[in-house]
């Protein structure tokens, strides 16, 4: 067991959150750092923000299937833990209407060495961008609701490197 009672390679329910409210990336990093008690040599974070697309968007609406989304992200976190020697993982994904400049997703990975932490964070983000069960719809500056946003070819290419 590691500090906090979590077996190496396992995940806890607190490792993954899907929430409507904003997150505090600095507070999440501080909690994870405290939990690790000096064991990690590297903590890598990625925060994905909602863009205004040059003033075109007033927000991005994110939908998910409760329960299914957490289970799928949990499955991919387990895969990341099997591929890299991670000491901790934290994933937060927002749902609901997110305004430009606000965080949509936070991925935090910790390992003894930077390469594992970077690669695992990149792997998790590539999954979240392409196959995680979330749907995004644009809210436009003209007051209308736009279409559903699909993963891009570049997103698919990035994810393919992990296959």
């Amino acid at each position: 067991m590691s500090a906090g009672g979590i077996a190496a390679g396992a995940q806890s329910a607190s490792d993954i959150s899907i929430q409507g409210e904003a997150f505090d990336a600095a507070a999440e990093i501080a909690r994870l750092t405290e939990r690790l008690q000096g064991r990690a040599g590297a903590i890598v974070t990625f925060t994905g923000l909602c863009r205004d697309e040059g003033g075109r968007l007033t927000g991005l609406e994110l939908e998910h299937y409760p329960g299914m989304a957490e289970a799928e992200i949990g499955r991919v976190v387990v895969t990341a833990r099997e591929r890299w020697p991670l000491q901790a993982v934290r994933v937060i994904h927002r749902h609901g209407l997110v305004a430009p400049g606000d965080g949509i997703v936070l991925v935090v990975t910790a390992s003894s060495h930077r390469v594992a932490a970077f690669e695992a964070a990149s792997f998790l983000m590539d999954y979240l961008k392409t196959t995680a069960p979330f749907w995004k719809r644009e809210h436009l500056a003209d007051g209308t609701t736009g279409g559903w946003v699909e993963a891009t070819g570049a997103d698919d290419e990035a994810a393919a490197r992990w296959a």
Side-chain angles (χ1 to χ4, degrees), residues 38-111:
R39 291 189 331 261
I43 294 177
V44 169
T45 64
F46 175 84
T47 304
L49 306 174
C50 178
R51 297 183 302 263
D52 71 357
E53 297 293 351
R56 192 174 65 80
L57 298 183
T58 60
L60 197 58
E61 178 183 354
L62 295 113
E63 292 187 6
H64 73 294
Y65 283 123
M68 181 176 133
E70 292 89 344
E72 278 299 301
I73 293 171
R75 184 183 63 75
V76 175
V77 166
V78 168
T79 300
R81 287 179 173 277
E82 290 169 349
R83 290 181 79 161
W84 293 279
L86 299 175
Q87 293 163 324
V89 175
R90 179 77 168 112
V91 176
I92 300 174
H93 203 298
R94 300 272 307 275
H95 66 83
L97 187 60
V98 179
D102 288 348
I104 296 173
V105 63
L106 175 69
V107 171
V108 184
T109 56
S111 184

